Amino acid sequence: MSIAVRVSVWILGVLVVVSAAVAVLALMQKQTLQGQNQSLHDQISDDASKLADITSKAKKLQDDADQLNSKMSQTQQDKAQLQSLYDELKQKSDDFKSQLDQANSDRDDWKNRVETISRQRDDLMQKLKERPTQIVYKDRIIQSPSAVAAVDNASAPVDVTSSQGDQYWASVLRQKAALQVELQKAKFDLDQAALQVVDLKKQNSDLDLEIKRISNEKDEIVQKIKYGQDLADNLSIDLARSRNDQKAVNDRADKLKEENLALQSQIRDLSSSKLELERTVSSLTDDKDAMQKKLIETESIIQSRIDDIWKIKQGLDKKLSENSVSPASSSGSMELPPIIVNAPQQQVAAAAESNPAPAASGKTEGSIISINETNNFVIVDLGQENSSVGVGNILKVYRNSNQIATLEVIQLRRDICAADIKEKSSALKVGDVVKTN
């Protein structure tokens, strides 16, 4: 097997390995991207569910805020009604207080009048007590001097006749009765005023209690309004926060959608690359099959040439034994048929040289390309054009820097040579290193 064939085989193997590695890498990347895509889909679904929850919470908070606003408006209306009721009750209380003050002033007036009437009555009673005793005669009444003086000291001069005196005292009695009636009426009015004062005091105390109750309700309503305002502020803050969260989730969802689209485009590119690689691998597989067929054909041709070489060797050994000539000298006078090695896409034909001569310089290291264990010789990829090997030269075989065999060149061609196996410590293999020194 020539170097071109080996290089072609190695290149084909490397291409196959690289294609397989690229295909495996593309498959792994596709699986990774599919996993990432699935995780992104799951994350998008989770974000969508969270967005739905946040939307429902925001809607609920909005409903609560609307209800709270309606309650606040209702509370403000109740507060306004209570304020108006409070003002009305306060006005009534002021009116009752003014009426109470008026009743108290009327009571004082009546008391003064009663006291005045009482003093007048006392004066009249005193006057009655001091009235002189009358002496009734048949024709006239004789008054005592003290009575006459009292009457003179009274107010106006009174006629001391009987008819005029009776009229005077009758008028006095009438005035007394009228004063007593007026006094009783004043007492009754005073009692009524006192009852009204008591009633007004009771109503005032009731109004004070009602005012206190309304004040307490007003304070409670103010506290409720304040609590409602605080709750509305908190709900507004929560609503703003939920809106911000919703906006962030929407932005994240949009970003994930963009990443998902980018990953899908990458997956499509990788799929197309995978298809191209599969086509390349398929074509390389076809080339490999064709190469293997050509290699099989080449091996069969080489084996046939080896058989020819073996026959030539037997003929050479026979001639040497007959003529008692050394192998080195006899090999120079014999000719071998050309050895043809077929490689993929090329054919290398070597024509036999009549008088081969070793080259002055060339490579000193090669490798075994074929082994004939039956006839005990090998084919080495060292020839006339690429090495300094000559017929009869001793070659050494190495494996892992250890010498395992010794060879002797018996035939030489342009790219290859045939060598007998002289000594070996282990079985030779195709690819073992052959050195000229």
Side-chain angles (χ1 to χ4, degrees):
M1 184 183 296
S2 65
I3 296 174
V5 174
R6 291 182 61 195
V7 170
S8 300
V9 172
W10 278 103
I11 291 172
L12 183 61
V14 169
L15 288 175
V16 170
V17 172
V18 170
S19 301
V22 171
V24 171
L25 183 61
L27 182 61
M28 291 175 64
Q29 288 181 353
K30 181 179 178 182
Q31 292 177 355
T32 304
L33 290 174
Q34 287 178 353
Q36 290 179 358
N37 191 11
Q38 185 65 31
S39 64
L40 286 174
H41 279 299
D42 297 336
Q43 193 171 4
I44 288 171
S45 61
D46 294 336
D47 291 336
S49 62
K50 289 181 181 178
L51 180 61
D53 295 335
I54 291 172
T55 305
S56 62
K57 288 181 180 178
K59 187 176 180 181
K60 186 177 180 181
L61 289 173
Q62 187 68 34
D63 295 336
D64 294 337
D66 295 335
Q67 292 179 1
L68 186 60
N69 289 326
S70 62
K71 287 182 180 178
M72 285 178 65
S73 61
Q74 185 67 31
T75 306
Q76 288 178 356
Q77 292 177 1
D78 295 338
K79 180 182 176 183
Q81 292 178 0
L82 289 174
Q83 187 67 32
S84 62
L85 182 62
Y86 176 75
D87 296 334
E88 184 179 357
L89 290 174
K90 189 175 181 182
Q91 184 68 29
K92 287 182 179 180
S93 177
D94 295 335
D95 293 337
F96 281 129
K97 283 182 180 179
S98 63
Q99 290 178 5
L100 182 61
D101 294 335
Q102 185 67 31
N104 288 327
S105 64
D106 293 339
R107 184 188 65 181
D108 294 336
D109 292 338
W110 282 109
K111 279 184 179 180
N112 293 326
R113 291 179 67 183
V114 167
E115 289 177 355
T116 303
I117 293 170
S118 296
R119 284 195 303 270
Q120 290 178 0
R121 186 189 66 178
D122 293 337
D123 292 339
L124 290 173
M125 291 298 294
Q126 187 67 30
K127 287 179 181 181
L128 288 173
K129 287 179 181 180
E130 291 177 356
R131 180 181 180 184
T133 304
Q134 296 180 355
I135 300 172
V136 181
Y137 293 99
K138 185 175 178 181
D139 294 328
R140 58 189 179 89
I141 298 175
I142 301 173
Q143 293 181 349
S144 63
S146 61
V148 173
V151 170
D152 292 335
N153 292 327
S155 59
V158 181
D159 191 4
V160 292
T161 61
S162 60
S163 59
Q164 292 179 354
D166 291 336
Q167 290 178 358
Y168 174 74
W169 291 112
S171 64
V172 170
L173 290 174
R174 283 196 299 271
Q175 290 178 358
K176 179 182 178 182
L179 289 173
Q180 286 179 353
V181 171
E182 190 174 357
L183 181 62
Q184 289 178 358
K185 185 179 179 181
K187 285 183 178 179
F188 179 75
D189 292 336
L190 184 63
D191 293 336
Q192 291 294 325
L195 291 174
Q196 288 180 0
V197 168
V198 172
D199 192 9
L200 289 173
K201 285 183 178 179
K202 184 178 179 182
Q203 289 181 0
N204 191 13
S205 62
D206 293 337
L207 286 173
D208 291 334
L209 292 174
E210 186 69 20
I211 288 169
K212 289 181 180 179
R213 186 180 65 80
I214 291 172
S215 298
N216 293 327
E217 289 181 356
K218 180 181 177 182
D219 295 334
E220 290 179 357
I221 290 170
V222 169
Q223 290 179 358
K224 287 181 179 179
I225 290 172
K226 186 177 180 181
Y227 174 74
Q229 289 177 353
D230 295 336
L231 185 60
D233 294 335
N234 293 327
L235 288 174
S236 299
I237 293 170
D238 292 335
L239 183 61
R241 190 177 298 163
S242 64
R243 286 178 180 174
N244 292 328
D245 294 337
Q246 183 178 3
K247 184 178 179 182
V249 169
N250 289 327
D251 294 337
R252 188 176 180 185
D254 294 335
K255 186 176 180 181
L256 289 175
K257 286 180 181 178
E258 292 177 357
E259 292 179 355
N260 190 12
L261 292 175
L263 288 173
Q264 287 179 356
S265 63
Q266 290 180 3
I267 288 172
R268 286 194 295 270
D269 295 337
L270 288 173
S271 299
S272 61
S273 299
K274 180 185 175 184
L275 291 175
E276 293 294 333
L277 288 173
E278 287 178 351
R279 293 193 189 96
T280 305
V281 169
S282 178
S283 63
L284 289 174
T285 304
D286 296 337
D287 293 338
K288 180 183 175 182
D289 295 336
M291 188 73 72
Q292 285 180 351
K293 290 179 180 178
K294 290 182 179 180
L295 286 174
I296 292 171
E297 293 175 358
T298 304
E299 287 180 355
S300 62
I301 293 171
I302 289 173
Q303 189 62 39
S304 63
R305 298 304 181 188
I306 289 170
D307 293 336
D308 295 337
I309 291 171
W310 178 248
K311 291 177 180 179
I312 292 169
K313 180 179 178 295
Q314 288 180 349
L316 289 174
D317 291 337
K318 186 177 180 181
K319 285 184 174 294
L320 289 173
S321 62
E322 291 176 355
N323 300 324
S324 298
V325 182
S326 62
S329 61
S330 63
S331 61
S333 61
M334 298 300 294
E335 292 184 358
L336 292 176
I339 298 173
I340 299 172
V341 178
N342 291 327
Q345 299 179 358
Q346 72 174 19
Q347 291 183 354
V348 180
E353 299 293 337
S354 59
N355 294 316
S361 62
K363 68 177 184 178
T364 60
E365 183 176 339
S367 61
I368 297 173
I369 61 174
S370 180
I371 301 172
N372 192 329
E373 296 180 355
T374 305
N375 298 319
N376 196 31
F377 72 95
V378 297
I379 304 297
V380 182
D381 60 350
L382 294 174
Q384 292 178 349
E385 293 184 357
N386 58 6
S387 67
S388 59
V389 178
V391 177
N393 291 148
I394 302 300
L395 305 177
K396 295 180 180 179
V397 182
Y398 293 90
R399 184 184 298 162
N400 296 328
S401 302
N402 296 322
Q403 183 177 350
I404 60 173
T406 302
L407 306 176
E408 183 181 356
V409 179
I410 59 174
Q411 290 291 333
L412 189 64
R413 295 293 182 266
R414 187 176 64 181
D415 295 325
I416 60 174
C417 66
D420 281 335
I421 301 173
K422 297 298 182 179
E423 295 179 358
K424 65 177 181 178
S425 58
S426 62
L428 299 180
K429 295 181 180 179
V430 176
D432 288 340
V433 177
V434 178
K435 294 182 180 181
T436 59
N437 52 5

